[in-house]
Amino acid sequence: MRVAMIGTGYVGLVSGACFSNFGHHVVCVDKDESKIARLNRGEIPIFEPGLDALVADNVKAGRLSFTTDLKSAVPDAEAVFIAVGTPSRRGDGFADLTYVWEAAAEIADALKGYTVIVTKSTVPVSTCSKVEAIIRERNPAAEFDVASNPEFLREGSAIEDFQRPDRVVVGTESERARNVMRALYRPLFLNDKTPFVFTTREASELIKYASNAFLAMKITFINEMADLCERAGADIQDVARGIGLDGRIGSKFLNAGPGYGGSCFPKDTLALVRQASEFGVPSRIIESVIDVNANRKKRMADKIIDAFGGVKGKTVAILGVTFKPNTDDMRDSPSLDIIPALQQAGATVRAFDPEGMAEAEKLLPGVKWTQNGYEAMTGADGVAILTEWNEFRALDFARTKALLKRPLMVDLRNIYTPREMLEAGFEYHSVGRTAVKPENK
Ligand code: NAD
């Protein structure tokens, strides 16, 4: 099949590369000329494990190409995906659909023959109907259906998630469009292991927001439990394991930490609340989740400050600034709240992140960026781990101790155990577990 993917960001590029790997011919379109120029030179504009090889293979096989010219990509395509950004609208938290409307209008002008237009971006309920209305108005003769096909991939494991998803959700009432979607996802459809949820467009649109809101709630819940554990002298890891083994609860997304961030949960929880309020429906649970999470990020800065006994005039080494490991995505990362709060309290911040620094430099002024984690810790008064990159999981404790002025670690991702850190001679503060100090050993 021939596919046009409008928007070549984290979702569009991965989806386009994976569809081409399924054997389809995919043209990825982006209006960002520098992004397309880089892709045409064989460079991958984002960090996503395995993506460079997947793109290179499929470009070489002649199934994957990149252009800024939407009008040349759409006419031949049987399916046109909209995978543009839907950020939070400034001020009110509604999903900003400007890019979606623009893409719909451009697609309308270029349609030729029966085409399924698929919204892969995360969009509020009824967006498909509005996309349909825009296209119908601009091009009344066009033969098309609009379907919803939300994307559930996670940055950092995006290719695996796309190729082996928990489910594929397709919202359309058109049998013709359903057949196009079945053909597109044929390798997954055939292997019988992937459940397909065929539903209405409205349900499909809501499934995506409800999924993200639920996951954000699960994280926020375990974070509150972590606070209780710290006070009560219980270990959150044990509590999480104990509740996660209950099949009704499940063990995933029960890692206590600095609060959720990233390109999806913060904006999607806000957008869900706004949608519900437009329909006059209360969404008090998700409102609380948003509120609790926002406070948490601030409190994590205080946790570091308290552990250091104040940071005025002190140097804090930070390991990891992306919202999670294996991505360079800095959108809504907890570090964007925590680091400025430390600086405001008088700290000098030395930081290292394996992939996020190019973007982080633009967002976090005044930080001294280093070549590696050990350089960040050199001469610092202590270290705080904000992102659980693998390379921070096996620090050389003797070297770490020798570099720091004081053997002090604040681990907001619980990648070490209090016992091993105590044995290594560190004062160690983590999340949802009692802090340990060598003198109390
Ligand atoms: P992104 O910002 O990385 O990429 C969006 C791209 O669309 C940009 O490169 C932009 O230049 C391009 N674009 C905007 N308007 C265009 C137009 N008219 N024509 C061509 N290109 C255009 O965004 P993303 O992270 O890939 O997210 C895209 C959508 O997918 C969002 O709705 C997001 O919520 C959703 N989503 C994201 C993830 C994730 O992990 N990032 C996961 C699931 C769903």
Side-chain angles (χ1 to χ4, degrees):
M1 296 191 84
R2 296 200 166 266
V3 175
M5 185 67 64
I6 315 303
T8 307
Y10 287 85
V11 164
L13 183 54
V14 171
S15 305
C18 288
F19 276 133
S20 66
N21 208 43
F22 286 173
H24 303 303
H25 283 83
V26 181
V27 182
C28 286
V29 182
D30 206 290
K31 60 181 186 178
D32 181 336
E33 287 176 9
S34 69
K35 201 175 261 190
I36 294 299
R38 288 183 68 184
L39 284 160
N40 280 327
R41 286 199 300 270
E43 292 168 28
I44 305 297
I46 56 170
F47 176 75
E48 180 61 45
L51 189 56
D52 44 0
L54 192 74
V55 168
D57 285 354
N58 286 286
V59 168
K60 199 166 158 213
R63 288 190 297 262
L64 180 62
S65 60
F66 306 99
T67 182
T68 53
D69 184 16
L70 184 146
K71 291 195 166 38
S72 69
V74 167
D76 288 339
E78 291 147 279
V80 177
F81 281 84
I82 299 179
V84 299
T86 51
S88 260
R89 202 160 69 186
R90 244 168 231 264
D92 62 12
F94 277 98
D96 181 347
L97 296 174
T98 314
Y99 300 123
V100 175
W101 307 146
E102 279 172 13
E106 288 175 65
I107 292 165
D109 297 343
L111 286 176
K112 216 170 110 193
Y114 176 72
T115 315
V116 182
I117 294 107
V118 191
T119 55
K120 201 163 236 335
S121 300
T122 302
V123 289
V125 66
S126 84
T127 302
C128 278
S129 305
K130 289 178 193 153
V131 167
E132 184 172 303
I134 289 173
I135 297 174
R136 181 86 50 226
E137 197 191 327
R138 285 184 80 101
N139 187 348
E143 209 190 339
F144 70 98
D145 280 302
V146 177
S148 160
N149 172 222
E151 183 49 56
F152 298 95
L153 62 77
R154 294 162 300 173
E155 289 173 15
S157 52
I159 294 167
E160 175 71 12
D161 288 349
F162 192 94
Q163 295 186 335
R164 263 178 275 274
D166 289 342
R167 77 302 209 186
V168 173
V169 175
V170 175
T172 174
E173 269 146 271
S174 151
E175 190 51 32
R176 201 173 174 189
R178 264 198 289 269
N179 283 335
V180 169
M181 297 305 287
R182 277 192 198 102
L184 272 171
Y185 281 104
R186 199 176 142 80
L188 302 184
F189 208 67
L190 286 183
N191 75 11
D192 250 14
K193 289 198 187 105
T194 308
F196 276 67
V197 180
F198 286 107
T199 181
T200 60
R201 298 189 301 203
E202 289 75 16
S204 174
E205 290 165 334
L206 273 178
I207 285 169
K208 176 65 192 178
Y209 280 107
S211 301
N212 275 358
F214 190 89
L215 293 172
M217 179 178 74
K218 206 170 171 190
I219 295 172
T220 306
F221 173 82
I222 203 68
N223 284 339
E224 272 197 347
M225 285 300 115
D227 290 348
L228 180 55
C229 282
E230 267 176 47
R231 289 288 168 88
D235 183 326
I236 190 64
Q237 312 275 97
D238 292 346
V239 173
R241 182 168 148 73
I243 62 175
L245 286 169
D246 185 327
R248 294 168 300 178
I249 295 173
S251 57
K252 292 182 181 161
F253 276 75
L254 286 181
N255 298 318
Y260 64 78
S263 64
C264 292
F265 291 172
K267 79 173 176 65
D268 292 347
T269 44
L270 276 175
L272 182 57
V273 166
R274 296 294 174 255
Q275 285 172 69
S277 90
E278 278 207 327
F279 285 101
V281 176
S283 47
R284 280 163 51 199
I285 294 177
I286 302 306
E287 282 174 19
S288 303
V289 165
I290 293 168
D291 197 36
V292 170
N293 193 62
N295 280 328
R296 183 163 192 86
K297 292 188 194 172
K298 196 190 156 328
R299 284 204 298 108
M300 287 299 114
D302 292 340
K303 185 179 177 82
I304 297 171
I305 293 168
D306 290 348
F308 275 68
V311 291
K312 201 169 171 32
K314 292 183 184 164
T315 299
V316 181
I318 297 284
L319 302 186
V321 291
T322 51
F323 81 98
K324 65 173 175 181
N326 293 325
T327 183
D328 56 355
D329 201 339
M330 283 296 297
R331 286 178 281 186
D332 268 312
S333 176
S335 67
L336 297 175
D337 291 276
I338 295 170
I339 291 177
L342 296 176
Q343 290 169 320
Q344 223 164 26
T348 299
V349 173
R350 292 166 63 84
F352 170 72
D353 187 280
E355 296 292 340
M357 291 194 298
E359 187 58 25
E361 264 172 358
K362 300 177 208 156
L363 304 169
L364 290 166
V367 172
K368 165 92 183 87
W369 300 98
T370 62
Q371 298 292 316
N372 57 58
Y374 293 108
E375 192 191 330
M377 292 191 282
T378 305
D381 292 86
V383 57
I385 298 173
L386 302 196
T387 317
E388 67 277 35
W389 285 92
N390 268 345
E391 66 178 85
F392 305 145
R393 288 180 182 274
L395 290 175
D396 176 338
F397 292 150
R399 187 172 168 199
T400 299
K401 260 173 87 174
L403 293 173
L404 293 171
K405 276 193 206 150
R406 176 179 155 200
L408 168 65
M409 180 182 287
V410 184
D411 175 4
L412 297 186
R413 300 291 183 170
N414 287 357
I415 62 179
Y416 294 111
T417 64
R419 181 192 294 231
E420 72 185 320
M421 294 313 288
L422 194 57
E423 269 161 20
F426 280 84
E427 175 176 341
Y428 178 70
H429 300 252
S430 55
V431 178
R433 304 181 299 185
T434 307
V436 290
K437 291 185 187 179
E439 57 265 33
N440 300 344
K441 199 173 165 182

